[in-house]
Amino acid sequence: MHIMSDLLMLCVQLGSKVEVVTIQSMKQAVQKAVEENSGNRDLTAPFDATWHKRWHTPLHGVVTATSVYTGKVLDMAILSKHCRCVRESKGEHEGNCTANYSGTSGDENPQHHLCPKGTESWCKYNMGLETGEKYIHHHCLPLPIMEVIKPVFRDLAAPELLKKCLHGQTQNPNECVNSVIWSRIPKTVFVGLETLHFGAYDAIATFNDVNIARCEVFNNMGMEIGLNMVRLMIALDKERLRAAERAVKSMEILARQEGRSTKRKLEEEFADNEDSPSYGTGMY
């Protein structure tokens, strides 16, 4: 019993230290992006949301913002619709409720936690919280309407349109982050919010600063990092790069093979066509 309790405490401590290291990593990524942008803090960053399950049934999701200048993650947020409150069916939530997202916003269920806060915010709801003026939602869309207009938003998110906003860049960094996150937390297995936090923060820390970032986590836990640990983290990063290079070469080989196969097929079809001989007097 004591062993399980100690193990649980260790996991909680490890999760909190991973979060600290990741937040520091994102702060450093912001500073680096500012330097790449000639000291200007008006940064361009593509945003992307990824959900724990496919289709429209996920309870957890992660939103990331990556830098156009460096490709590193500048900020992230974890969204969850998973509620364990006893009276959740009656719309009553406890103070420690972990659900922070529902998908629609209205007076009974305002959803403005991602909007800027303060008296100068463009979000009138959050501005009203500061000024004391109550904001009334006039256009709370029912769920059936939301489902109808989703295709419009998908069209607005088309790559052909978004690439005009990214200085010719792509959202590949965002997709890479998503891949790293779900490699730690498979989409086929449901996890609690604590596990999602742990996996997402670890993924972003290693995405920004490679595996050596884990040494910083252990340092924050008061553990002394030895030379073998550092060598192991470096070896893991080198192997990751070698695997990526092998994957790229395999794709190049496959593309060449398909190209030669297509060319050979066209040549055979051309040769079998009596009306179009491959050679004739005066043809070439």
Side-chain angles (χ1 to χ4, degrees):
M1 190 68 179
H2 292 291
I3 296 177
M4 292 299 297
S5 178
D6 292 343
L7 182 60
L8 179 61
M9 290 297 297
L10 179 62
C11 291
V12 172
Q13 183 184 10
L14 180 59
S16 64
K17 297 303 181 182
V18 170
E19 181 177 354
V20 170
V21 171
T22 303
I23 292 175
Q24 183 61 31
S25 172
M26 291 189 293
K27 288 181 179 179
Q28 294 174 354
V30 170
Q31 185 59 37
K32 181 63 177 179
V34 171
E35 294 175 1
E36 293 290 332
N37 196 29
S38 303
N40 187 356
R41 298 190 67 86
D42 185 10
L43 303 174
T44 301
F47 287 74
D48 189 48
T50 178
W51 296 98
H52 187 211
K53 291 180 64 179
R54 297 175 177 84
W55 311 113
H56 301 292
T57 61
L59 296 178
H60 301 315
V62 182
V63 181
T64 56
T66 58
S67 171
V68 168
Y69 312 96
T70 64
K72 293 187 175 184
V73 179
L74 305 178
D75 200 2
M76 59 89 71
I78 295 178
L79 306 179
S80 177
K81 294 189 288 186
H82 188 223
C83 177
R84 300 177 181 174
C85 300
V86 177
R87 304 177 66 86
E88 186 269 338
S89 60
K90 297 182 179 181
E92 299 180 10
H93 298 271
E94 302 169 3
N96 60 348
C97 179
T98 57
N100 61 2
Y101 175 77
S102 66
T104 59
S105 181
D107 291 333
E108 297 181 355
N109 188 26
Q111 295 291 318
H112 298 273
H113 54 280
L114 296 180
C115 299
K117 297 176 174 56
T119 56
E120 297 182 359
S121 173
W122 50 259
C123 175
K124 294 183 180 180
Y125 177 84
N126 283 341
M127 184 171 62
L129 294 178
E130 299 292 333
T131 61
E133 297 179 6
K134 183 178 180 180
Y135 176 74
I136 299 177
H137 293 81
H138 299 285
H139 305 287
C140 180
L141 295 177
L143 184 59
I145 302 299
M146 291 292 294
E147 295 294 336
V148 172
I149 67 175
K150 277 182 179 179
V152 178
F153 284 91
R154 291 194 185 100
D155 292 339
L156 292 174
E160 293 77 13
L161 180 63
L162 291 178
K163 67 182 181 181
K164 300 178 182 179
C165 308
L166 295 176
H167 306 289
Q169 304 286 339
T170 68
Q171 283 190 290
N172 284 347
N174 297 82
E175 299 302 332
C176 290
V177 175
N178 297 344
S179 176
V180 175
I181 291 174
W182 302 127
S183 68
R184 285 156 173 73
I185 311 170
K187 290 193 173 189
T188 55
V189 180
F190 177 79
V191 299
L193 193 59
E194 297 83 2
T195 303
L196 178 62
H197 272 89
F198 189 5
Y201 280 122
D202 177 69
I204 291 174
T206 54
F207 181 84
N208 279 358
D209 301 319
V210 298
N211 280 299
I212 201 70
R214 289 171 173 165
C215 293
E216 186 63 26
V217 174
F218 293 130
N219 276 329
N220 283 334
M221 294 182 66
M223 300 173 62
E224 184 177 352
I225 304 303
L227 181 60
N228 288 335
M229 177 67 173
V230 176
R231 287 175 175 173
L232 174 61
M233 294 297 103
I234 294 176
L236 288 174
D237 289 326
K238 289 182 177 180
E239 176 56 31
R240 177 180 57 85
L241 292 176
R242 284 193 292 266
E245 291 175 355
R246 289 194 297 267
V248 171
K249 289 181 179 179
S250 298
M251 294 175 62
E252 292 176 347
I253 293 174
L254 181 61
R256 287 197 299 267
Q257 291 175 344
E258 291 179 349
R260 287 195 293 264
S261 177
T262 301
K263 181 181 178 181
R264 189 182 306 110
K265 183 177 179 180
L266 291 174
E267 290 176 345
E268 291 175 353
E269 291 177 354
F270 190 79
D272 293 339
N273 189 349
E274 297 179 356
D275 296 331
S276 301
S278 59
Y279 179 76
T281 304
M283 288 182 62
Y284 303 104

